[in-house]
């Protein structure tokens, strides 16, 4: 029987996704109809984003799976019924974008670009930056995006450490896990990059205690999620000089309210949640492949573990 696939991403995304998803489903010989409107009781799969039209899943009585267009699923896990398979987005285009953003901001800190671009003021101080091999960088979260970023930094020669829930082995990266592993990962990190998901277990991973573990003047780059950082503790650490500078792409409230102290802080760079995004052409391949698998009775890729929340 033909499977009905409802596109319930942001309505503006439909014109781009429609031809790509149709082409991919046809290429994989999946017997499926794709539309952005179906009677709910006829829908087999929902391609989903919280910015789309669906917030109540109860009318979708024959739903087989929900396929998220977003990598971060903290807003999706609570609304999709627990018995339904839920997949998250792992997309090579998203991965590429994040890697480029992370490398760019790491190089800004490593090379001390601000001092030369913004702050010369007629001052001639010929001091070359160190080589990457003498710079220690730590990536918190070694999943799809953290691993790709850590590997790219290692390829540039940085001393890269990483931390994850379960122990990893990644060539060129010193991998830590568990509570003691976090201490070890932070103890020597001159630049810390957060690529953890937003879950109850990761909230305030950087707090007053863990910020104090970093070497004085360490830099923080957060393209993960706002709740990973205790904002009051970070502001205090920035004011004391324990943290030298922070580049923040994600926040507890987005858009970041105009009165938030991060905007005006001289040692904070705010970027508007643009580190990376799902890229339609590569994402369509992932979605179509998962529909093919579901229809063939094969295991789905990138399933969210509902008990862990990511
Ligand atoms: P993954 O699920 O692939 O990776 C998550 C990583 O975090 C894994 O290594 C996981 O460990 C680790 N982790 C989870 N919980 C814990 C914990 N309690 N303690 C230690 N480590 C933990 O996610 P992605 O790499 O695909 O994405 C990461 C995040 O990036 C997303 O959740 C999203 O919030 C954010 N994002 C931001 C974007 C932006 O533009 N700013 C764009 C896209 C995503 P383990 O490997 O052991 O499971």
């Amino acid at each position: 029987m033909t499977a009905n696939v409802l596109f319930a991403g942001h309505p503006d995304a439909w014109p781009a996704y429609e031809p790509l998803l149709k082409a991919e489903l046809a290429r994989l010989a999946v017997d499926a109809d794709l539309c952005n409107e179906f009677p709910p009781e006829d829908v087999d799969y929902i391609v989903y984003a919280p910015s789309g039209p669906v917030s109540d899943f109860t009318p979708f009585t024959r739903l087989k799976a929900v396929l998220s267009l977003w990598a971060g699923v903290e807003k999706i896990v609570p609304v999709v019924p627990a018995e339904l398979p839920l997949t998250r987005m792992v997309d090579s285009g998203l991965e590429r974008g994040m890697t480029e953003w992370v490398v760019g901001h790491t190089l800004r800190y490593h090379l001390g670009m601000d001092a030369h671009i913004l702050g010369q003021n007629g001052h001639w101080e010929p001091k070359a930056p160190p080589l990457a091999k003498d710079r220690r960088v730590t990536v918190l979260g070694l999943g799809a995006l953290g691993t790709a970023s850590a590997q790219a930094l290692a390829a540039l020669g940085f001393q890269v450490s990483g931390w994850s829930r379960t122990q990893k082995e990644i060539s060129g990266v010193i991998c830590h896990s568990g509570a003691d592993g976090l201490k070890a990962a932070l103890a020597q990190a001159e630049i810390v990059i957060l690529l953890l998901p937003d879950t109850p277990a990761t909230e305030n991973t950087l707090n007053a205690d863990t910020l104090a573990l970093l070497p004085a003047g360490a830099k923080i780059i957060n393209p993960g999620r706002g709740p990973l950082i205790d904002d009051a503790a970070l502001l205090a650490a920035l004011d004391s000089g324990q943290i030298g500078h922070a580049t923040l792409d994600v926040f507890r409230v987005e858009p970041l309210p105009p009165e938030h102290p991060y905007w005006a802080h001289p040692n904070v760079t705010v970027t508007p949640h643009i580190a990376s995004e799902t890229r339609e052409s590569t994402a369509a391949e992932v979605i179509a492949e998962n529909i093919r698998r579901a229809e063939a009775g094969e295991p789905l890729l990138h399933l969210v573990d509902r008990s862990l929340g990511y």
Side-chain angles (χ1 to χ4, degrees):
M1 203 169 93
T2 303
N4 288 332
V5 181
L6 175 69
F7 181 86
H10 193 285
D12 292 350
W14 172 240
Y17 274 107
E18 184 184 9
L20 292 165
L21 276 169
K22 281 187 171 158
E24 270 307 304
L25 289 164
R27 191 180 68 78
L28 296 174
V30 183
D31 181 10
D33 270 348
L34 172 76
C35 197
N36 61 349
E37 275 180 44
F38 276 118
E41 62 278 11
D42 292 346
V43 173
D44 296 291
Y45 300 96
I46 297 184
V47 180
Y48 183 74
S51 54
V54 174
S55 53
D56 177 10
F57 287 80
T58 43
F60 295 91
T61 47
R62 74 174 215 205
L63 205 52
K64 296 179 188 165
V66 176
L67 312 161
S68 167
L69 288 165
W70 291 11
V73 290
E74 72 279 359
K75 289 188 180 138
I76 303 175
V77 165
V79 296
V80 175
E83 65 280 6
L84 275 177
L86 167 64
T87 63
R88 55 179 217 97
M89 182 49 64
V90 175
D91 153 32
S92 58
L94 174 72
E95 219 168 274
R96 197 62 235 153
M98 183 60 79
T99 303
E100 292 176 12
W101 190 90
V102 164
V103 167
H105 285 277
T106 303
L107 286 174
R108 171 191 174 194
Y109 285 143
H110 168 62
L111 298 175
M113 287 185 189
D114 289 13
H116 300 286
I117 296 169
L118 305 172
Q120 290 189 96
N121 298 327
H123 186 61
W124 180 267
E125 193 186 349
K127 189 172 184 311
L131 295 177
K133 74 176 182 56
D134 297 318
R135 182 78 70 194
R136 290 182 297 261
V137 181
T138 286
V139 182
L140 303 183
L142 293 172
L145 302 178
T147 297
S149 299
Q151 285 174 322
L153 292 167
L156 285 173
F158 286 103
Q159 289 181 39
V160 184
S161 300
W163 179 67
S164 51
R165 189 178 54 82
T166 57
Q167 185 62 36
K168 298 279 178 291
E169 269 187 42
I170 302 169
S171 166
V173 179
I174 300 167
C175 296
H176 302 278
S177 61
D180 287 343
L182 179 60
K183 286 185 194 151
L186 293 179
Q188 304 207 321
E190 295 169 85
I191 301 172
V192 180
I193 297 145
L194 287 101
L195 277 167
L196 295 160
D198 174 9
T199 70
T202 61
E203 183 167 14
N204 295 333
T205 295
L206 288 190
N207 54 39
D209 293 341
T210 50
L211 289 166
L213 296 172
L214 290 161
K219 315 287 197 305
I220 289 170
I221 300 175
N222 185 15
R225 281 294 184 262
L228 301 175
I229 299 180
D230 176 335
D231 293 321
L234 175 57
L235 285 162
L238 284 159
D239 289 341
S240 74
Q242 167 61 13
I243 299 302
H245 200 280
T247 296
L248 308 173
D249 185 56
V250 284
F251 305 91
R252 285 169 195 264
V253 177
E254 294 181 7
L256 185 65
E259 66 280 7
H260 198 287
Y262 282 147
W263 280 116
H265 201 290
N267 292 337
V268 174
T269 295
V270 169
T271 62
H273 201 144
I274 44 75
S276 192
E277 64 180 3
T278 303
R279 264 58 183 194
E280 291 98 346
S281 60
T282 38
E285 293 171 14
V286 177
I287 297 280
E289 169 61 12
N290 258 342
I291 295 171
R292 185 199 69 72
R293 284 170 171 253
E295 287 299 285
E298 296 173 20
L300 299 188
L301 300 171
H302 320 309
L303 272 172
V304 173
D305 182 326
R306 307 302 282 274
S307 64
L308 295 171
Y310 73 99

